[in-house]
Amino acid sequence: MADYIKINRSTATPTPGVGVPTPVSKARMFKTAAVLNLARATRITAGASLLVILASTASVQAQSTPAAATPIATGPAKTASAAPAVKAPPPAPTLDQRVSAIEAYFGNGDPTAALKTGPKDKDGNATIPEGLTTPLVGNPGPGHNGWMMTCAALVLFMTLPGLALFYGGLVRKKNVLSVMAQCLGISGLVSILWWACGYSLVFGKNFGSPFIGGSEHFFLAGVTSAPNTDYSTWVSENVFCMYQLMFAIITPALIVGAIAERMKFSAILLFVTLWMLVVYFPLAHMVWGITGFMNGVWNPDAKITAMDFAGGTVVHMSSGWSALILCLIIGKRNGFGKVPMPPHSMVLCMIGTGMLWVGWYGFNAGSAVAADVISANAFTTTTLATAVASFTWGMIEMIFKGKPSVLGFCSGAVAGLVVITPACGFVNSTSGAIIIGVLAAVVPYLACTKLKPMFKYDDALDTFGVHAIGGTLGALLTGVLVDAAVNSNIQKGTNAATTNGLADKVAGHSAWIAQLEAMAVTLILAVVATVVIAYVTKAVVGLRPTPEAEDQGLDITDHGEEGYMLD
């Protein structure tokens, strides 16, 4: 490059028009020299880089090319050791396979489906060639993960503060803190149980049992941000674990409503501990576990092919029927039927109801464990059934009592949420959700206003009337109103529901029979276990406070606090 640059170092003044170069200043000379040096350095660096690349390529070729024959050495022959076999690199996915994995993410499908191009297994299913994968396999999807974290927070919001405010408003003011403390205490206790063994007993499987899970996830061992594909392809297992924890928290907290104002805090903690181990964990595995006895949607070997999208049997039937038995064993509140016991704050009750309704979207729509079309259907049916039930309950009161009450609207909303829970992912929004909404108001209304006075049991906050009756009704209506068009998992095809016969029952309109069987198992387990647990708790710590303590209020006697300091 320097050969083509002419530098005139003459200081003579050029003759105009002759074409003699203009004299160059020293500064410009040095600047030009710097440019030349930079150019030379660039050429040298580029050349060195090229040599490195060529050397690397030669090295790779030398490693992959058999060595040339060496000359025969003179002297005694030596045995040459065999060169180690070079393992073939794993097959690379095709562009179509990579695109299919991306499409699977958006459709909540299996990213490995397009990779199954290998020999068939013993069941006749194509396998994935060894080492063949795509970057999406085994990794959570951010959209689905984000939705499920939101849903987990919404379900916790149902208990804290939703249920605490709902129940807190319905009791007398001397007991408002007691029910809030019970909700908080249960939240902490159940979280510890879930970490220690609960998650594993529900969603593990190494016991090989249809009735209880396994021990592989005790203390959350192996629960990482990678998906557990037994339950979701695109959601981290730790997120799924936390989501399911929120269900475990609210279920025993519902029982509090039936025995409000008259059970010691220590007795509640012991009762809930035993109840979770004996009732909730086994029942949740049977209905939702991948090897569950009654998991008709996901277990191809299920003996009872039941459907429970978000907890009609697991949550509401189990807690509601247990609540009835416990309130019968513990007895009525002092003065029940003799002195008025109205709610002390319908404002708190109304606020709590609104929080429950909002949080329930995480409960129901989140049970799809994905942000997909099934989740969208559950979101829609939940809204419609709840709105219809709330309105219908209020109108029933207006017709028969002359005035619709805020308590009536709140009770109807909660009843609608309960009844639609097992069905929300299986019924349509054209008729199914509306029918459920109407019945969710009528049947629990009769249970709360007619059945309870008839048998004179003290279900303080109508846990039995709304959750037991509502959950049982919802489980049955799921089998009657199921529509396979809204959920591909119960359609005929290559899925568990086809293998175990559920898809045929849905198509033949006989799925309600399996629902009855699941309801019977749930009811028997909840009732029998609660009787035993209640009497064990009574023998160990006692169930009730003294009559004097109960009259004073559990806020003071159990917690040393008052909800309101207005004087």
Side-chain angles (χ1 to χ4, degrees), residues 85-330:
V86 178
K87 187 177 181 180
T94 64
L95 179 60
D96 285 345
Q97 289 171 329
R98 293 171 70 96
V99 171
S100 295
I102 297 173
E103 292 175 340
Y105 167 69
F106 286 103
N108 190 28
D110 181 5
T112 68
L115 303 178
K116 296 176 181 179
T117 58
K120 293 184 177 181
D121 59 17
K122 59 182 180 62
D123 298 320
N125 300 316
T127 60
I128 300 175
E130 183 179 0
L132 179 60
T133 187
T134 71
L136 293 183
V137 174
N139 289 306
H144 298 301
N145 239 15
W147 166 239
M148 292 310 299
M149 285 187 278
T150 302
C151 287
L154 286 171
V155 180
L156 180 60
F157 186 68
M158 291 171 64
T159 304
L160 302 174
L163 188 66
L165 291 173
F166 179 74
Y167 278 172
L170 292 175
V171 298
R172 291 170 288 180
K173 66 179 181 180
K174 64 183 179 180
N175 293 307
V176 59
L177 290 183
S178 71
V179 295
M180 293 182 175
Q182 288 158 12
C183 289
L184 281 167
I186 287 171
S187 298
L189 172 63
V190 172
S191 296
I192 295 170
L193 291 173
W194 192 252
W195 162 76
C197 63
Y199 176 73
S200 192
L201 293 176
V202 175
F203 294 105
K205 60 182 181 181
N206 69 356
F207 288 167
S209 169
F211 304 106
I212 199 69
S215 60
E216 66 266 43
H217 295 309
F218 279 1
F219 306 104
L220 298 191
V223 178
T224 68
S225 294
N228 179 342
T229 54
D230 284 336
Y231 301 101
S232 175
T233 304
W234 298 107
V235 175
S236 297
E237 186 172 11
N238 48 19
V239 173
F240 175 75
C241 173
M242 291 298 99
Y243 175 70
Q244 293 295 340
L245 165 62
M246 307 315 170
F247 282 72
I249 286 173
I250 197 171
T251 304
L254 295 172
I255 299 174
V256 166
I259 48 83
E261 302 190 308
R262 65 192 190 278
M263 188 168 178
K264 296 192 301 184
F265 186 73
S266 58
I268 287 177
L269 293 183
L270 178 58
F271 176 86
V272 168
T273 299
L274 298 175
W275 191 86
M276 294 298 293
L277 293 170
V278 177
V279 178
Y280 186 84
F281 294 158
L283 183 59
H285 178 77
M286 283 191 277
V287 176
W288 290 333
I290 194 65
T291 60
F293 182 70
M294 301 188 289
N295 188 350
V297 179
W298 296 111
N299 180 11
D301 300 318
K303 302 305 178 186
I304 296 178
T305 54
M307 296 172 286
D308 187 349
F309 194 78
T313 53
V314 178
V315 176
H316 300 294
M317 277 193 69
S318 66
S319 63
W321 285 98
S322 293
L324 174 66
I325 299 304
L326 186 58
C327 84
L328 292 175
I329 292 173
I330 200 171

